[in-house]
Amino acid sequence: MKNKIFYKSFFIITILFFIACNDDVLELQPLDSYSDAVVWTDPQLAETFINGIYFKMEIPNGDNKYGLPNLVDESHRRDGGAQLNFNNSIISPDLISGWRAELPSWDNLYLQIRACNKFLTNAEKLPDGTIADGITLKQRLTGEAHFLRAWYYHRLTSLYGAVPIIDKVYELNDDFLAPRNTYAECVDFIVKDCDMAASLLPLKHTNDKLSRATKGAALALKSRILTYAASDLHNEEGLSLFKGYSNPELIGYTSGNRSARYQAAKDAAKAVMDLGMYELYKANPSPTDDISSNFEELFNGKDCIEDIMVRYATTTSYAVKYSWQALSSSNGYHGQGNNAPLDNLVRDYEMKDGTKFNWDNPEHAAAPYENRDPRFYATILYEGAKWRTRAPGEFPLDPVGVMQLGRWEKWDAATNSKIEVWGLDTRKGTNSPFEGAYTGYIIRKFCDINVDAQFYVPEIGWKYFRYAEIILNYAEACIGLGQDEEARTYLNMIRKRAGMPDITDSGVELRDRLRNERRIEMVVEEQRFYDVRRWLIGPKAYEAAYKVDIVYKMDPVTHITSTTPTITPMVHQKYNWINKAYFLPILRTEMNKNNLLIQNPDYE
């Protein structure tokens, strides 16, 4: 033992002596980080730097208990007191609970923009690297940095309107104060970044690069930002809501031609189409196709022809309990009952023949879930809907595997009275009732029937961009230009895939049909929150949160319980809309740090 101690001590002393006698040793790189000089000369380290910026792109269907659909008329979070404040327009520069969790914050978005600027400032120092797909690694990473910067600026402008454009990395002696640019300047800057990215990125990635930006992703982002820019919120209609605001250039266009903006949006969508890389998944279903299954496959499969940019979840992405499916499943399947669809959404699914559903129609109300748009069955779990087999503990109470979202009135002979038996998936069910959803519905979209989310993470991808959005963008621009026939042609492509009859409307009616089509096609894909704002339909969308009451009634004479439920819509929570909510407030902390910032309208 003494010998071991001696040799160990001798070894340490020798190392220390060697360090003391060799000044060069002091020049060694730190072991816990890389210096800039190393990062910008090593393509692999530079790619790792870009990977860190990708990592901060939100994955709404992963590790996110606070889904954005809960902040609009799509879904409800069961413990969402803070979300209720937001949905009642209780928003201020000082009150941050209720939307900071769901929406990317000003400071975090700028943190990622700074990282993009840092890369672009140093990109020329990089060696070209290996050539793949006809471009060098340096070109690809530079294109990705431009795409990512455009992405984060798009998030900012979609929430706040105009923001300061920062395209450099600040040094310690720089002036950090910067005013907001105009909204028009912000859109032009994002479009320029998208164009630069598209010129550098490949059409397609292979192998381990499938979730990275491509030329199509850059052009799809351009299509989205130009569609938003041409919308009501940022043009005459939006500016008229805030006539007393002294800086209208921060929230929309104060000059220029709106038709030109619609044309730019149309051209941007067409550029994605002209790539020839994407198609609607199973765009021409045969009469024997199960269209609901087709639609479900679109979201649960991989390498889909409709995908433009997807990020896949894996079993190592996050804890099992934080997958979208675990968070959103019912308590009867050991889920947490979040992101439960509102009846506001369900009632907007058309009947199979293309007519509107109406709770006031006795035939509709008697069987509200029959003969609906096939996408309904792939998106929503409703009372009696077939789902996966229950866990062993619940199996005796439901051997079939169907949703039990209501209650049964039954006669108790022992007490000679009526009792109520509540379904497994309700807030009075036998399993974790406090995790039961309130609305009478459970989300099915982005959930895999073959995976038990209590124990496993479904490897389902989040679709940042898919081809259906591009077609909807194109049709919307056509309507804005008065090109109704062309708009109907493209809108009916979406409906044909969905197994729905063609739309024949024109004018305002066609516009409204497109808006509803986008609502149904893009459920929980983080579109509705922004669509409500850019279309200026806040008062309608934030009227109230509706749920359904489901009861299997008992005949008071025979004491026989009906096998058909009586389903009644009702208000779950009242909402309140104030026009200031079309934009988020810049937080007081940011205003205090930068006295050149001007607050958004109607916020003190």
Side-chain angles (χ1 to χ4, degrees):
M1 176 64 70
K2 289 181 179 179
N3 286 340
K4 288 183 178 179
I5 294 173
F6 171 80
Y7 286 121
K8 185 174 182 180
S9 300
F10 178 78
F11 177 76
I12 293 172
I13 292 169
T14 302
I15 292 296
L16 292 174
F17 178 80
F18 176 78
I19 292 173
C21 295
N22 289 271
D23 293 339
D24 290 345
V25 174
L26 299 179
E27 302 300 322
L28 290 174
Q29 295 292 334
L31 298 179
D32 62 343
S33 63
Y34 295 101
S35 70
D36 277 2
V38 173
V39 171
W40 308 122
T41 57
D42 186 316
Q44 280 68 45
L45 289 178
E47 185 167 26
T48 300
F49 185 89
I50 290 290
N51 290 347
I53 308 174
Y54 271 113
F55 184 74
K56 296 298 182 179
M57 291 179 72
E58 305 84 11
I59 313 179
N61 66 342
D63 200 12
N64 189 354
K65 191 173 183 178
Y66 308 90
L68 186 57
N70 299 328
L71 296 186
V72 72
D73 58 347
E74 279 192 307
S75 64
H76 178 266
R77 182 173 175 228
R78 57 174 173 74
D79 55 350
Q83 289 71 36
L84 181 59
N85 284 340
F86 183 90
N87 293 337
N88 277 281
S89 300
I90 303 175
I91 313 166
S92 81
D94 303 298
L95 182 66
I96 63 173
S97 66
W99 54 271
R100 284 274 286 190
E102 291 85 348
L103 296 166
S105 65
W106 176 285
D107 51 345
N108 285 332
L109 290 170
Y110 269 111
L111 188 64
Q112 301 315 311
I113 288 169
R114 183 185 187 279
C116 294
N117 288 339
K118 187 171 185 178
F119 181 93
L120 292 170
T121 298
N122 292 280
E124 285 305 315
K125 300 175 185 177
L126 282 172
D128 285 338
T130 305
I131 293 179
D133 301 315
I135 62 172
T136 65
L137 178 62
K138 176 180 176 179
Q139 287 174 315
R140 174 170 67 78
L141 294 179
T142 302
E144 290 176 9
H146 280 288
F147 168 83
L148 288 164
R149 188 169 67 177
W151 169 264
Y152 288 111
Y153 269 118
H154 156 65
R155 299 292 271 176
L156 279 166
T157 57
S158 299
L159 296 169
Y160 299 96
V163 297
I165 296 174
I166 310 298
D167 60 358
K168 68 174 186 176
V169 177
Y170 283 119
E171 303 297 338
L172 288 177
N173 295 325
D174 287 343
D175 183 359
F176 294 98
L177 304 183
R180 296 170 71 176
N181 288 77
T182 68
Y183 180 76
E185 289 170 340
C186 290
V187 171
D188 290 345
F189 183 82
I190 296 170
V191 167
K192 183 178 178 181
D193 259 350
C194 290
D195 286 339
M196 179 60 73
S199 72
L200 294 170
L201 293 172
L203 282 169
K204 187 175 183 179
H205 292 296
T206 54
N207 302 325
D208 61 340
K209 304 291 191 295
L210 291 177
S211 293
R212 307 183 84 90
T214 60
K215 181 186 293 290
L219 294 177
L221 178 55
K222 178 181 176 179
S223 170
R224 185 181 292 179
I225 188 65
L226 289 174
T227 299
Y228 284 19
S231 301
D232 293 348
L233 178 62
H234 302 296
N235 290 276
E236 298 87 348
E237 296 89 341
L239 298 186
S240 68
L241 289 179
F242 303 104
K243 289 181 179 179
Y245 187 51
S246 59
N247 295 92
E249 74 281 358
L250 301 181
I251 60 174
Y253 289 94
T254 57
S255 62
N257 186 302
R258 191 174 183 189
S259 291
R261 290 191 273 279
Y262 274 126
Q263 187 62 53
K266 180 181 177 181
D267 292 343
K270 187 66 163 55
V272 181
M273 298 177 190
D274 289 345
L275 291 176
M277 295 290 295
Y278 314 106
E279 300 174 11
L280 290 176
Y281 180 69
K282 296 190 175 179
N284 298 294
S286 69
T288 59
D289 270 6
D290 183 338
I291 294 176
S292 295
S293 294
N294 289 354
F295 197 65
E296 193 166 8
E297 288 170 10
L298 164 61
F299 298 99
N300 294 0
K302 290 186 177 181
D303 300 326
C304 177
I305 190 65
E306 190 164 329
D307 293 343
I308 298 176
M309 185 175 178
V310 182
R311 183 168 169 182
Y312 289 102
T314 67
T315 53
T316 59
S317 296
Y318 35 74
V320 169
K321 67 178 181 178
Y322 287 127
S323 75
W324 167 266
Q325 188 164 333
L327 289 168
S328 304
S329 293
S330 74
N331 54 321
Y333 283 93
H334 297 274
Q336 298 174 47
N338 293 295
N339 309 308
L342 293 171
D343 190 61
N344 309 50
L345 169 64
V346 170
R347 63 182 62 178
D348 281 345
Y349 281 87
E350 295 174 0
M351 302 301 293
K352 185 68 171 63
D353 62 5
T355 57
K356 289 184 178 181
F357 172 83
N358 189 345
W359 278 111
D360 293 330
N361 181 323
E363 186 178 348
H364 292 178
Y369 310 133
E370 294 181 7
N371 300 314
R372 303 292 290 273
D373 181 326
R375 289 170 291 189
F376 169 73
Y377 305 104
T379 307
I380 310 292
L381 289 170
Y382 52 91
E383 174 63 23
K386 182 73 171 65
W387 187 230
R388 54 177 288 108
T389 303
R390 301 274 182 178
E394 286 73 47
F395 186 81
L397 299 174
D398 175 24
V400 179
V402 298
M403 299 305 297
Q404 296 183 357
L405 292 158
R407 64 190 188 278
W408 285 259
E409 296 179 346
K410 294 191 176 183
W411 185 256
D412 184 351
T415 61
N416 200 34
S417 63
K418 182 179 71 174
I419 60 172
E420 290 183 331
V421 178
W422 290 78
L424 289 171
D425 305 298
T426 68
R427 291 190 62 79
K428 293 186 179 181
T430 56
N431 184 61
S432 301
F434 68 95
E435 291 188 307
Y438 284 93
T439 68
Y441 302 106
I442 298 294
I443 194 69
R444 180 169 184 159
K445 192 172 182 178
F446 290 117
C447 296
D448 190 341
I449 195 172
N450 299 307
V451 174
D452 187 343
Q454 182 184 5
F455 303 109
Y456 304 100
V457 175
E459 296 188 8
I460 293 176
W462 171 252
K463 300 180 188 295
Y464 291 106
F465 300 102
R466 62 184 178 95
Y467 193 56
E469 179 191 346
I470 302 303
I471 291 179
L472 289 166
N473 290 350
Y474 188 86
E476 185 171 339
C478 288
I479 292 172
L481 292 167
Q483 300 165 353
D484 287 4
E485 183 176 356
E486 189 171 9
R488 286 191 295 268
T489 296
Y490 281 86
L491 189 55
N492 286 331
M493 292 179 184
I494 301 285
R495 291 178 67 81
K496 182 176 183 180
R497 188 265 293 279
M500 294 295 288
D502 283 354
I503 285 173
T504 59
D505 303 83
S506 299
V508 174
E509 290 77 16
L510 176 60
R511 180 205 67 183
D512 291 344
R513 293 297 292 274
L514 177 135
R515 290 178 176 182
N516 196 70
E517 195 67 24
R518 188 177 180 104
R519 172 160 169 70
I520 297 306
E521 178 70 22
M522 309 300 292
V523 170
V524 300
E525 293 185 59
E526 291 213 331
Q527 299 277 347
R528 180 66 176 175
F529 178 90
Y530 300 102
D531 288 346
V532 163
R533 283 156 174 78
R534 67 188 184 86
W535 292 334
L536 298 178
I537 58 173
K540 179 178 182 296
Y542 287 88
E543 177 190 18
Y546 288 90
K547 64 179 181 179
V548 288
D549 179 63
I550 304 162
V551 57
Y552 292 82
K553 293 186 175 181
M554 183 192 72
D555 186 287
V557 177
T558 65
H559 297 165
I560 296 174
T561 300
S562 174
T563 58
T564 301
T566 297
I567 302 175
T568 307
M570 58 182 58
V571 172
H572 174 54
Q573 292 172 332
K574 288 292 293 182
Y575 288 166
N576 179 55
W577 178 261
I578 301 175
N579 285 337
K580 68 177 184 179
Y582 281 121
F583 297 96
L584 289 188
I586 302 172
L587 291 183
R588 187 86 61 199
T589 52
E590 298 298 332
M591 299 288 291
N592 290 340
K593 286 187 289 186
N594 181 0
N595 61 17
L596 297 181
L597 291 176
I598 297 172
Q599 185 57 273
N600 274 328
D602 295 345
Y603 292 104
E604 298 296 332

